[in-house]
Structure formats: structure tokens, C-alpha cells
Amino acid sequence: MFYRFCTELSVILGGVISGKKMKRSVFLLSLVLLFAGNLGAQNDDFGVWTSVGATKNLFAGLEASVEGEVRTRDDVGAIDRWSGTVGLSYKVCNFLKVGGDYVFIRYNHVRRGWETGHRYNLYATGSYTWKVFTLSLRERYQHTYKRGVPGTDTSANPADIFRSRLQLAYDIKNSAFKPYASMELFHRLNDPQNNGLDKIRYTLGTEYKLNERSTFNVYYRYETVRDDDPNLHILGIGYAIKL
């Protein structure tokens, strides 16, 4: 099902977006979708993550953001979670940005049903641009509390995670597409049994700039986990606007 979906979507995009300058960009995006489809045809779970967000410059260097997201699981057969995020970020200099945000999350637990979570993030992102390539490293501290869920000998609540993401982006000349690839590591900090590497996310995608204010983001993500939970194949679709 996933392979067929990705194949058809890549064909549709190739038909909708025309122009000689776009051919290479469409080809790259099609490769992302077809690669995702081939992997998704294997075992493990598949879900779609969709998001809509907005940002607003408050004054020089300071930016406010808001985002809503819905995630599915069980081969898109069930809602996994939905969330709302508000945040602030500050550009310290050309290569460094710091920020924080609050996330309200409604989890659909497999056994316990719907639960409410409160998450707080603090992060710093360093970046370096060379010609058409931008390499960035984001370090993030994540604190999550699930209301009404007691901590156990095998699961911490609240849970503390340290996340490290390395990303490479390519700015294609005279194109609205900006492909990127990233890897993110999740490390448990207060696990009752064993701290250390919890999961890894591999992402391959592209941004598509509609105009000076609006951007679409399409990506394939593969997530490996340490526990007995299935690994995830994810198709992500996002839209962001600058106010």
C-alpha cells in the first residue's frame, strides 16, 4: 500500500510541476518518495505525519512560532497523537540560534487509550554554509510529563531525553526545491533501567518554496527504536507560513 501510494504521488508531482528548471528538483523528490515506498513495503509500521505552522518576527533576531501536528500509525489505520506547539527562538549570530518551546500532546496509547502530555524543549543550533551547502547541528534537551501516568521500574515519568541532529541541506540554484538529509540520535537521561541511546531517526526530504512567505516540506523518515516497539517508516508533509 505504501509503495503504491509513494509511486502514484511521485508521478502526480511530476505532472503538476513543469518547467525545465524544475526537472532536476522533481527527479530528486521522486527518488525520496520511491525510496520510502520500497522500504515501507517491508515489515515494521508505517505512518503519516502532517503539520501546519507559522512564524512571526517580533524584532531583530527574536522569532515566535506556533505549530499543529497529527501523526498516524498502524499503516495509517489509527491516530498515534496530535499536538500543538508554541515557541520562541533567538538568532545570536549568523551561525548560532537558541530557543525553547512548549508542546501540548494527546497520546493514543495502545493499551491505556488517550493520555495528555506536557513537553518542554530547550535547544541550540549551529550552522555553517559553504557555497550551496549548509551543515547544521542541533542539540536539544526534552522534558516530557504525562499527566496521570505513574512512573514505574521500567518507565520514567517525567522522562528526560537529549537529542542531537546533524543535517545537510542543498540550495539548488534557480529552483524552489531545497533537499536535505539528516540523522538524529535520542539519548535517555533518567531511565530507571538503562540510560543511553533510545532511537535514531534518518530523514531524507525537500522543502518547496511556494513564495516569499509559504513553504511546503515533504520527507521520508525511518525511525529505529531500542525497545520491542516496531521500527517506523514515516511520510511527512508540512506547511509553514511567515506572518
Side-chain angles (χ1 to χ4, degrees):
M1 180 185 70
F2 182 32
Y3 174 76
R4 181 180 177 184
F5 171 77
C6 291
T7 303
E8 292 179 353
L9 182 57
S10 64
V11 172
I12 291 172
L13 288 171
V16 172
I17 302 173
S18 60
K20 293 183 178 180
K21 293 181 179 180
M22 293 295 191
K23 294 299 183 181
R24 180 172 57 177
S25 302
V26 173
F27 175 72
L28 291 173
L29 178 58
S30 298
L31 284 180
V32 172
L33 295 171
L34 291 174
F35 178 68
N38 282 320
L39 288 178
Q42 302 170 4
N43 294 325
D44 300 337
D45 195 11
F46 166 63
V48 174
W49 294 5
T50 57
S51 65
V52 176
T55 58
K56 173 70 174 178
N57 285 324
L58 301 180
F59 55 82
L62 185 64
E63 183 178 77
S65 61
V66 60
E67 182 184 70
E69 183 186 46
V70 177
R71 299 181 182 181
T72 65
R73 66 166 189 262
D74 300 337
D75 293 331
V76 202
I79 299 295
D80 183 53
R81 56 174 264 190
W82 62 265
S83 63
T85 304
V86 292
L88 288 173
S89 63
Y90 181 71
K91 192 172 184 179
V92 179
C93 56
N94 289 334
F95 60 86
L96 179 63
K97 182 171 72 172
V98 297
D101 53 53
Y102 163 75
V103 190
F104 176 83
I105 309 173
R106 286 285 287 167
Y107 299 94
N108 184 13
H109 194 275
V110 176
R111 295 183 300 275
R112 298 190 298 263
W114 287 97
E115 301 171 345
T116 298
H118 302 278
R119 175 171 294 172
Y120 305 90
N121 296 309
L122 294 174
Y123 65 88
T125 304
S127 60
Y128 175 75
T129 299
W130 180 73
K131 295 185 179 180
V132 295
F133 296 98
T134 298
L135 183 66
S136 64
L137 175 64
R138 185 186 68 190
E139 302 287 8
R140 172 185 287 180
Y141 167 71
Q142 173 182 295
H143 177 86
T144 307
Y145 169 71
K146 291 185 178 181
R147 190 172 65 194
V149 179
T152 67
D153 293 337
T154 59
S155 179
N157 187 35
D160 295 325
I161 301 287
F162 189 77
R163 300 166 55 172
S164 300
R165 187 195 70 185
L166 185 65
Q167 177 172 290
L168 179 65
Y170 174 41
D171 191 2
I172 302 175
K173 186 178 181 180
N174 299 324
S175 174
F177 285 93
K178 187 176 182 179
Y180 61 89
S182 69
M183 180 180 70
E184 186 169 17
L185 307 178
F186 291 65
H187 288 87
R188 297 181 182 179
L189 300 179
N190 65 333
D191 187 88
Q193 291 187 322
N194 184 23
N195 289 326
L197 186 62
D198 179 43
K199 59 184 175 183
I200 305 176
R201 282 180 181 171
Y202 304 93
T203 304
L204 184 64
T206 183
E207 294 181 354
Y208 178 74
K209 192 174 183 180
L210 293 174
N211 50 52
E212 291 301 317
R213 297 175 56 196
S214 300
T215 304
F216 272 109
N217 183 26
V218 180
Y219 60 86
Y220 163 72
R221 176 169 291 158
Y222 179 58
E223 181 175 285
T224 65
V225 295
R226 183 178 70 174
D227 296 330
D228 295 331
D229 295 333
N231 296 330
L232 298 177
H233 299 274
I234 300 153
L235 176 65
I237 305 172
Y239 170 75
I241 185 170
K242 295 180 180 179
L243 302 178

